Amino acid sequence: MKWLLDNWFTLALLALAACAMPGVVLVILRLFEVDGPINNWLLLTFQITYELRLSPWITLILLLLPVALLLLYFLRLKRTPMQVPSTFLWKKSVEDLHVNSLFQWLRENVLLILQLLVLLFLIYSVLGVRLHGSTMKSRHYILMIDNSASMSVKDVAPNRLEWAKQEALKEIDAASDSDFGMVIVFNSKATTLQAYTNDREKLRDAIRGITLTERPTRIEEALLLAASLANPVRSTEDLSMQPADVPDDQKRTMVQARGISTVVHVFSDGRFAKLSEQAIAKLKLRGPDDDPKQGGLNLRYHLAGSLAKPGNANNVGIILFNVHRQPIDAKKKADSQQLLAWVRLANVRAQSAAVRVKLDVYVEGEKRHSLEQSKTIPARKYVPAKADEEDDVDEPGEAEIRFDLPSLELRSNIVLHAYFVNQQDDFSLDDHAWLAVGTTRKAKVLIVTKGNSHLDAMFKQEGTQRIAIAEWMTPADLNGDEYRKKARAGDVDLVVFDRCVPADELDMPLANTLLIDRPPPPWRRGTAVLKNPLFIASQRDHPLLKHLTTINDIRTHEAFVFDVRKNLSAEAAKEADLPIGHAKHRTLPTVERIVETSNQTPLLFAMARGPHTDLVQTFPLTSDDGGLLSDWGLQPSFPLFFWNLLYILGKVDDSVRTVSVSPGEPMVLRPDAGFRFVQLTTPDQRKIKLPRTERNEIVFADTDKLGIYRYQVALAEDERRLVNEPRRGFAVNLLDSNETNIEPRPSIRIGNERIVSGEKKSQTREIWKWILLLVVVLLLTEWIIYQRRIAV
Amino acid sequence: MPETARPTPLLDPQFLHRLEQLELVSRKIFTGAIKGERRSKRKGQSVEFADYRNYVKGDDLRHLDWNLYARLDRLFIRLFQEEEDLHFYLLMDNSLSMDFGTPTKLHYARQIAAALAFIGLVNMDRVVIEVFNDHVVESMPAVRGRRSLWRVMNFLEKIAPAGPSNLRESLKTFTMKSTGKGIVVLLSDMMDKAGYEEALRYLVARQFDIYVIQILAQEELDPAIQGDLKLVDIEDADEAEISVSAPLLERYRQNLAAFQTGLQEFCNRRGITFLATSNQVPFDRLVLSYLRQRGLVR
């Protein structure tokens, strides 16, 4: 006992060191980010995990504090010796003081122990140990950040996106460690940057990593993504799925939806298109009074941007840029084309704007013409909403400029660049627009027939020849090498088999096909036929039936009945019967009915064959002797159908149609059949080599930058031969009136709900770390003062 | 301040001139060994008539009053007031603790001793200087007369600080060896861990006319120290660890005051004149003013 009393100070120090050791080890492990296994072990053994609540360097300082304190303590012990005539009175004085205060002899040592203890607590508090399985209530929140083009406007410093990021970081700071957050960034698409986590550092990292894009805004996808992630539908028996008007006797027992009450923070300037009806139907918003257990999104809108003057934003922009081919004047040269360019301008200023628009015409990369026009765009009409239900009347002033371009060579690659001259506004991305007018890509069609007057008439007319190059073969040629070479090289876009098919499945071409009166191998044309079937369009909006309104008028003598199972050859049927997972198991394709008869028997249907499509027409057009078996060939719908066929399955590209996409949208390049690769140059002069896939097309999705993307198609692997290949291009343009109107919206409308941007409310910031710091400072100050003035 | 660097000579001529006009006063009348300039208890040969007495055989015939013999025809001896010299003891503490302060307490004590010794010498008193620390280290044989001044000065100059202090032992030795009675001036800081009471009692027992002059350095009276210190006793290397704080300093001052008050009371009760001084009090003022007030000199 006496020994204990004598050595209590040393023992206490040792005990403290022993207590501190696990904490120190944990902190160091976390600092070096190797805390995974120990956290797992802690979770399994003690149901706890830990993380650092302070940044590493502060933690390190905190760790060193006890050491510093000990050092100070021992330094203090090293007193300066000083000679005095007599220690007689001093000793007496010290003794007097000691007698005066009880336990004075304990005092300084106890202080040290207490201080060390406080520091120890601090270290453990910083560790943020969490007990799992507790009933601590945690919130869920989703941070949706708009990084579309209009977020680059600098009406708030440094720009809207940076402001939004800062606000989002504050929102993370305001959340507690038990709250789960998610980060979604949206522009024309929505991306989950960070799934639900309570590691706020991860959330912060995700926020910090967001950069500006030049894409337009579509909030729909982001909201649906948030809704699906916030409240995944777990069961169709959920209460939330119960229709509202079910009679009492038909009501089913529904389980309570285990919705998570989620707060969705939208950081945006509010400039996006209205949500579609489908999206609104899918979205479930939650009002403040709704039961949070029902799920639903609790939307909070944070306005990025300043609302200094409603109805006036300093911006004019190009919102539409199009080019039309004028009817070719017979007098002009046959190989030239006359183009007409339209530029639609928008003005979101409160006063009219006089602008000068220039149109540069580049032919094969060289500037040939430069046209300029002046125009005054009327002022924007803006009437603020009077009632809550109404929307603001907000019509930016619009004007259109038409440029009649001089006649240009038909086959050359033409790029048009429209832009404002000397225009100063807050948003520059919409001041330029580009268009690429390229060469027509013709479909290469192989027709295998014994003779068909309708097909002859179709493909030999001049109009068709402008978009398609047809080749003829006879069924006898199907066994020859020439056919096989063509079929396997993928040199054609479309093969028409008229009343004949290759005997072997392997001989089917690497191209889309139209099969007349025959199914593709391994299916057999059965003997079952329908007499005089009635033609009904199964999918009216199918692209192949575009402009076809008189399908019902088609008459045919007979059509074979096709069943994907029954018509299968015996050998293939065996393979189809094999269990799934068997190496030889054959998965039967889905039959996409396009035209059918009354009992859903297909008359025209499509089947996928790898990347290609086999279109099967179950009735012949003519008999072998040239007799007419169907009147379709005489109907107006026949050439229209073939025209669609050439455009879709033959991949005809007449250049002015799809040469412009929005940033971020994928661009489908359809080079000539049989190409090897495509060399693409982006507007910032990056060169990208796009290799050929199985299909005769390439999907290019890296279209984030506005401007002209040029590409060359290589027909051989040798890159040097690219020089001779024609240059083509496509344009990526913003052309979005919602982005051009850069004025932020104080409220957003989701269906009937209007969500007003949050009032400036005081953030519940975390102050515990500051208090922590204060405690440390106070303790040290107290120690110094005590030692200097009061204590002995 | 170390003893090696002396700030001033012990006495300067002007000061000496002023000292010449002073004399030591004893409140008691002592018997002297030789005739001096003081009235003695004894009747002796001086010019001051005291009494007559009958002649007895053996008396000095020179003192017979012949006029009375003529008138009364009887032999009377004229008695005169004997004037005697005075024993003036200067007890100087030269322990290490006296080697402290600016000027050092020892130097200050030396100056007082020199001044008092000079006064004594001028008045033909027998001046004895005893130097002690834990025992009597050195004694200067009794000297008289102005011409001995150089010896006194020489002796004082040679006193060097040394050793611990032990008042009791030193004063005991002194009282045992000193024979005469007279004035004792004790120059010391009185900081003896064993206490001063017993030591002073020895002096009181010998019926000396005692003056205690306590000399303290300014650093002792008002210590200007700071921080955490290990105070080392200059004499016995005793250590005291302190962390200087306002309460501690306050307590120290209280203790010092209590110590001095205690000493004062002890002295008063025993008829000892006590004077506390610091090394900052100008030395001449101490001698010319304070000691005069206390009645040591006049």
Side-chain angles (χ1 to χ4, degrees):
Chain A
M1 196 64 201
K2 191 181 177 305
W3 182 84
L4 274 181
L5 275 176
D6 289 345
N7 298 294
W8 74 271
F9 182 64
T10 322
L11 287 176
L13 274 184
L14 286 175
L16 276 180
C19 289
M21 209 37 86
V24 171
V25 169
L26 290 181
V27 168
I28 290 172
L29 284 178
R30 184 73 186 89
L31 282 178
F32 288 99
E33 294 183 347
V34 286
D35 56 322
I38 193 85
N39 250 334
N40 285 340
W41 180 79
L42 282 173
L43 186 61
L44 288 175
T45 322
F46 302 110
Q47 295 288 301
I48 55 171
T49 57
Y50 78 98
E51 61 167 14
L52 288 186
R53 294 192 189 182
L54 291 178
S55 61
W57 63 272
I58 296 182
T59 315
L60 210 62
I61 291 174
L62 200 61
L63 268 188
L64 292 176
L65 270 182
V67 182
L69 195 64
L70 272 175
L71 276 179
L72 268 174
Y73 175 75
F74 286 116
L75 280 179
R76 198 187 70 86
L77 279 190
K78 214 179 138 197
R79 291 159 190 272
T80 327
M82 180 176 174
Q83 282 200 329
V84 287
S86 176
T87 51
F88 171 55
L89 284 175
W90 286 113
K91 279 202 156 170
K92 200 165 175 312
S93 307
V94 171
E95 278 163 19
D96 284 353
L97 268 190
H98 282 180
V99 171
N100 281 350
S101 53
L102 195 63
F103 297 124
Q104 178 67 39
W105 61 281
L106 274 177
R107 213 157 156 181
E108 61 183 13
N109 295 354
V110 166
L111 255 180
L112 177 76
I113 297 289
L114 281 178
Q115 285 161 357
L116 285 175
L117 208 60
V118 166
L119 284 172
L120 191 67
F121 280 136
L122 288 183
I123 290 174
Y124 278 100
S125 80
V126 160
L127 273 179
V129 176
R130 286 188 301 260
L131 188 63
H132 287 254
S134 67
T135 54
M136 204 147 62
K137 201 177 170 189
S138 64
R139 289 192 305 137
H140 284 69
Y141 60 100
I142 298 177
L143 303 167
M144 285 187 12
I145 296 176
D146 180 357
N147 69 341
S148 65
S150 58
M151 292 295 278
S152 66
V153 176
K154 292 178 175 161
D155 55 351
V156 280
N159 62 32
R160 288 181 183 174
L161 179 67
E162 288 305 316
W163 181 90
K165 282 162 76 176
Q166 290 307 318
E167 289 300 302
L169 288 176
K170 283 182 198 164
E171 209 60 56
I172 294 174
D173 288 341
S176 80
D177 272 342
S178 55
D179 296 343
F180 284 81
M182 186 194 297
V183 179
I184 293 177
V185 62
F186 69 98
N187 34 63
S188 55
K189 287 185 238 165
T191 317
T192 313
L193 288 187
Q194 175 63 52
Y196 269 137
T197 178
N198 62 346
D199 185 343
R200 285 184 288 166
E201 210 43 54
K202 280 187 184 167
L203 293 171
R204 288 190 191 106
D205 282 346
I207 294 282
R208 289 184 196 116
I210 297 174
T211 51
L212 267 175
T213 63
E214 296 176 352
R215 300 181 180 187
T217 321
R218 309 262 179 277
I219 199 176
E220 213 168 283
E221 195 184 328
L223 282 176
L224 290 177
L225 181 66
S228 66
L229 291 169
N231 292 295
V233 177
R234 291 181 174 81
S235 157
T236 49
E237 309 289 293
D238 271 357
L239 262 184
S240 57
M241 303 302 281
Q242 181 162 351
D245 47 353
V246 179
D248 279 349
D249 53 334
Q250 289 178 21
K251 264 193 178 162
R252 290 158 58 198
T253 314
M254 298 282 193
V255 293
Q256 176 75 284
R258 290 188 55 211
I260 309 164
S261 164
T262 308
V263 182
V264 178
H265 299 275
V266 180
F267 299 90
S268 173
D269 51 8
R271 283 290 160 193
F272 34 76
K274 274 193 175 174
L275 272 71
S276 68
E277 289 297 321
Q278 292 106 305
I280 292 166
K282 281 184 205 165
L283 266 181
K284 188 163 174 271
L285 296 182
R286 184 164 63 78
D289 305 325
D290 294 351
D291 180 9
K293 282 182 187 162
Q294 294 268 353
L297 294 180
N298 183 2
L299 270 188
R300 303 246 175 99
Y301 171 47
H302 301 256
L303 174 69
S306 88
L307 259 179
K309 278 178 277 175
N312 183 23
N314 179 23
N315 191 32
V316 289
I318 299 172
I319 53 167
L320 200 76
F321 185 28
N322 217 338
V323 65
H324 291 294
R325 215 171 252 152
Q326 290 209 29
I328 298 165
D329 194 342
K331 289 175 195 166
K332 292 189 176 168
K333 282 189 276 177
D335 57 348
S336 69
Q337 56 183 341
Q338 190 80 37
L339 294 175
L340 187 64
W342 307 80
V343 183
R344 194 155 184 81
L345 310 167
N347 174 22
V348 288
R349 293 174 186 163
Q351 60 280 348
S352 59
V355 292
R356 279 157 65 207
V357 178
K358 220 169 180 176
L359 180 73
D360 290 346
V361 183
Y362 295 85
V363 178
E364 299 296 344
E366 272 178 45
K367 190 158 144 190
R368 284 280 173 82
H369 309 283
S370 192
L371 311 168
E372 191 180 317
Q373 284 192 37
S374 296
K375 191 88 182 174
T376 304
I377 320 172
R380 169 184 173 189
K381 260 190 233 165
Y382 179 78
V383 183
K386 289 193 182 88
D388 194 39
E389 300 81 45
E390 284 177 15
D391 275 334
D392 300 342
V393 177
D394 186 3
E395 291 166 4
E398 289 188 12
E400 201 170 72
I401 297 179
R402 211 179 93 157
F403 288 98
D404 278 311
L405 299 183
S407 78
L408 298 160
E409 212 178 317
L410 189 65
R411 297 210 153 267
S412 58
N413 168 244
I414 299 160
V415 169
L416 307 177
H417 179 199
Y419 56 97
F420 288 109
V421 183
N422 293 333
Q423 187 58 49
Q424 295 293 322
D425 58 25
D426 286 350
F427 186 54
S428 60
L429 289 175
D430 60 356
D431 294 348
H432 295 258
W434 295 264
L435 270 186
V437 186
T439 50
T440 305
R441 182 198 186 277
K442 289 185 182 179
K444 286 185 181 165
V445 185
L446 175 67
I447 301 165
V448 189
T449 180
K450 296 167 194 163
N452 187 326
S453 52
H454 296 304
L455 291 180
D456 287 356
M458 178 71 213
F459 282 98
K460 282 179 180 166
Q461 63 162 302
E462 198 194 330
T464 315
Q465 277 182 351
R466 217 180 288 147
I467 60 163
I469 303 161
E471 249 184 290
W472 270 264
M473 279 191 181
T474 58
D477 295 333
L478 288 178
N479 293 323
D481 286 341
E482 199 191 345
Y483 164 75
R484 289 206 171 99
K485 200 178 154 198
K486 270 196 190 304
R488 283 173 192 166
D491 279 355
V492 287
D493 295 310
L494 179 68
V495 183
V496 180
F497 294 103
D498 180 26
R499 288 162 290 144
C500 63
V501 280
D504 196 348
E505 199 182 344
L506 294 172
D507 282 341
M508 282 299 280
L510 291 179
N512 298 324
T513 59
L514 169 68
L515 299 116
I516 300 172
D517 200 27
R518 292 283 185 284
W523 286 272
R524 305 262 179 266
R525 185 191 190 278
T527 44
V529 287
L530 291 165
K531 295 284 182 189
N532 293 323
L534 184 65
F535 279 70
I536 303 165
S538 315
Q539 300 178 38
R540 283 207 172 276
D541 51 355
H542 195 280
L544 282 173
L545 300 188
K546 198 175 171 187
H547 308 306
L548 269 74
T549 50
T550 54
I551 295 279
N552 302 9
D553 297 348
I554 304 169
R555 297 285 176 271
T556 184
H557 168 62
E558 60 175 34
F560 72 87
V561 178
F562 179 78
D563 184 284
V564 75
R565 190 99 210 169
K566 287 177 191 160
N567 290 37
L568 208 55
S569 70
E571 214 171 296
K574 260 187 219 166
E575 286 175 8
D577 288 339
L578 287 172
I580 297 167
H582 192 278
K584 283 194 167 177
H585 173 77
R586 178 189 284 268
T587 312
L588 295 179
T590 340
V591 174
E592 185 190 7
R593 294 195 303 273
I594 298 166
V595 178
E596 60 189 9
T597 185
S598 48
N599 58 352
Q600 297 195 338
T601 311
L603 294 175
L604 183 69
F605 62 90
M607 282 199 298
R609 172 168 52 85
H612 307 293
T613 306
D614 293 330
L615 191 68
V616 182
Q617 180 187 322
T618 59
F619 57 95
L621 293 170
T622 54
S623 63
D624 287 351
D625 53 7
L628 211 60
L629 289 175
S630 164
D631 66 350
W632 195 23
L634 308 173
Q635 299 239 358
S637 56
F638 183 73
L640 282 173
F641 170 74
F642 265 80
W643 201 263
N644 289 340
L645 184 72
L646 286 174
Y647 268 104
I648 292 155
L649 293 185
K651 296 166 199 158
V652 169
D653 186 354
D654 55 2
S655 306
V656 221
R657 277 161 59 116
T658 52
V659 284
S660 174
V661 286
S662 294
E665 296 291 313
M667 178 72 201
V668 181
L669 306 178
R670 294 202 177 87
D672 302 313
F675 74 100
R676 293 290 162 210
F677 67 89
V678 165
Q679 177 89 40
L680 187 135
T681 313
T682 61
D684 47 358
Q685 301 307 316
R686 255 185 319 132
K687 280 199 184 333
I688 303 169
K689 188 176 173 182
L690 304 163
R692 181 202 162 106
T693 54
E694 246 184 283
R695 290 168 81 105
N696 263 343
E697 61 186 34
I698 286 171
V699 180
F700 178 69
D702 190 11
T703 56
D704 276 335
K705 203 106 193 113
L706 298 181
I708 280 287
Y709 291 69
R710 295 169 194 281
Y711 64 95
Q712 283 176 296
V713 178
L715 295 172
E717 279 300 341
D718 191 357
E719 279 187 34
R720 282 171 297 183
R721 289 174 64 182
L722 264 180
V723 184
N724 299 322
E725 295 298 330
R727 287 163 195 278
R728 306 160 196 220
F730 64 90
V732 175
N733 290 315
L734 190 60
L735 302 183
D736 188 308
S737 56
N738 271 314
E739 298 297 320
T740 295
N741 192 345
I742 55 170
E743 183 177 312
R745 272 196 190 129
S747 66
I748 54 174
R749 186 176 276 280
I750 310 288
N752 291 326
E753 296 273 343
R754 175 194 284 274
I755 293 139
V756 183
S757 78
E759 294 83 42
K760 288 262 180 236
K761 56 177 189 294
S762 62
Q763 285 270 358
T764 47
R765 278 165 208 263
E766 281 184 87
I767 51 166
W768 63 269
K769 50 183 88 163
W770 298 112
I771 294 175
L772 212 66
L773 191 69
L774 207 66
V775 166
V776 173
V777 171
L778 270 180
L779 270 174
L780 287 176
T781 319
E782 177 259 342
W783 189 80
I784 291 164
I785 292 176
Y786 189 85
Q787 295 303 333
R788 284 214 154 237
R789 297 264 163 251
I790 301 148
V792 174
Chain B
M1 185 176 170
E3 193 46 40
T4 44
R6 278 181 199 149
T8 50
L10 287 179
L11 299 170
D12 63 68
Q14 282 175 345
F15 184 61
L16 281 180
H17 181 69
R18 294 181 67 183
L19 287 180
E20 276 182 15
Q21 297 159 5
L22 297 177
E23 61 172 322
L24 295 171
V25 182
S26 174
R27 287 162 298 176
K28 296 176 180 176
I29 298 166
F30 300 114
T31 50
I34 54 164
K35 288 186 193 301
E37 289 185 348
R38 291 171 192 284
R39 243 190 302 186
S40 168
K41 273 184 182 174
R42 289 181 278 191
K43 308 284 181 294
Q45 301 169 345
S46 71
V47 287
E48 201 170 333
F49 173 78
D51 203 356
Y52 292 103
R53 68 168 169 84
N54 290 327
Y55 172 77
V56 289
K57 202 176 168 184
D59 281 341
D60 193 342
L61 293 178
R62 284 177 293 180
H63 291 136
L64 279 173
D65 193 332
W66 298 109
N67 291 335
L68 272 181
Y69 177 69
R71 254 193 281 154
L72 301 171
D73 196 24
R74 287 180 63 183
L75 285 171
F76 285 99
I77 293 288
R78 270 195 309 197
L79 292 180
F80 295 92
Q81 197 72 359
E82 174 83 318
E83 285 190 337
E84 287 187 335
D85 60 348
L86 182 70
H87 283 270
F88 182 59
Y89 298 100
L90 278 164
L91 303 185
M92 276 187 68
D93 184 354
N94 80 327
S95 64
L96 283 171
S97 65
M98 292 294 282
D99 186 17
F100 196 82
T102 316
T104 62
K105 294 192 276 181
L106 184 62
H107 184 74
Y108 196 79
R110 258 198 298 250
Q111 283 182 311
I112 298 172
L116 293 178
F118 178 73
I119 298 171
L121 291 174
V122 168
N123 292 299
M124 297 300 282
D125 293 323
R126 284 159 59 96
V127 176
V128 179
I129 300 175
E130 303 268 2
V131 180
F132 69 92
N133 41 52
D134 58 344
H135 60 284
V136 177
V137 186
E138 219 179 344
S139 306
M140 191 188 74
V143 287
R144 276 190 353 160
R146 191 189 278 265
R147 63 182 182 282
S148 303
L149 182 62
W150 68 271
R151 280 183 68 187
V152 172
M153 291 297 171
N154 241 8
F155 180 80
L156 288 176
E157 294 276 2
K158 279 179 188 159
I159 299 171
S165 64
N166 189 335
L167 267 180
R168 183 177 154 276
E169 276 305 308
S170 308
L171 295 193
K172 189 179 168 190
T173 317
F174 165 74
T175 47
M176 283 165 74
K177 79 171 193 181
S178 66
T179 47
K181 288 175 183 169
I183 301 173
V184 171
V185 176
L186 178 61
L187 295 166
S188 171
D189 53 11
M190 304 304 285
M191 290 288 181
D192 192 330
K193 282 175 186 150
Y196 51 81
E197 293 86 350
E198 209 177 336
L200 289 181
R201 270 191 209 110
Y202 281 114
L203 293 182
V204 173
R206 286 294 304 273
Q207 295 181 335
F208 286 114
D209 189 3
I210 309 162
Y211 291 82
V212 173
I213 300 177
Q214 187 190 26
I215 305 165
L216 291 178
Q218 184 62 26
E219 290 87 337
E220 285 172 285
L221 290 169
D222 188 14
I225 50 173
Q226 240 187 4
D228 299 313
L229 297 171
K230 186 162 76 178
L231 301 181
V232 184
D233 196 312
I234 202 168
E235 290 182 2
D236 54 7
D238 182 31
E239 289 175 0
E241 290 190 349
I242 59 158
S243 296
V244 180
S245 62
L248 180 71
L249 288 178
E250 185 54 35
R251 173 59 60 179
Y252 174 81
R253 283 190 202 101
Q254 284 174 9
N255 277 339
L256 181 65
F259 177 76
Q260 288 185 316
T261 315
L263 183 57
Q264 171 103 49
E265 276 180 12
F266 181 88
C267 294
N268 286 350
R269 231 175 276 138
R270 285 157 185 80
I272 302 171
T273 309
F274 172 76
L275 175 67
T277 182
S278 105
N279 61 350
Q280 300 305 304
V281 176
F283 149 72
D284 49 352
R285 197 155 93 214
L286 178 90
V287 176
L288 298 176
S289 168
Y290 295 158
L291 287 181
R292 256 181 157 169
Q293 282 167 17
R294 293 288 189 285
L296 179 61
V297 292
R298 109 180 128 200

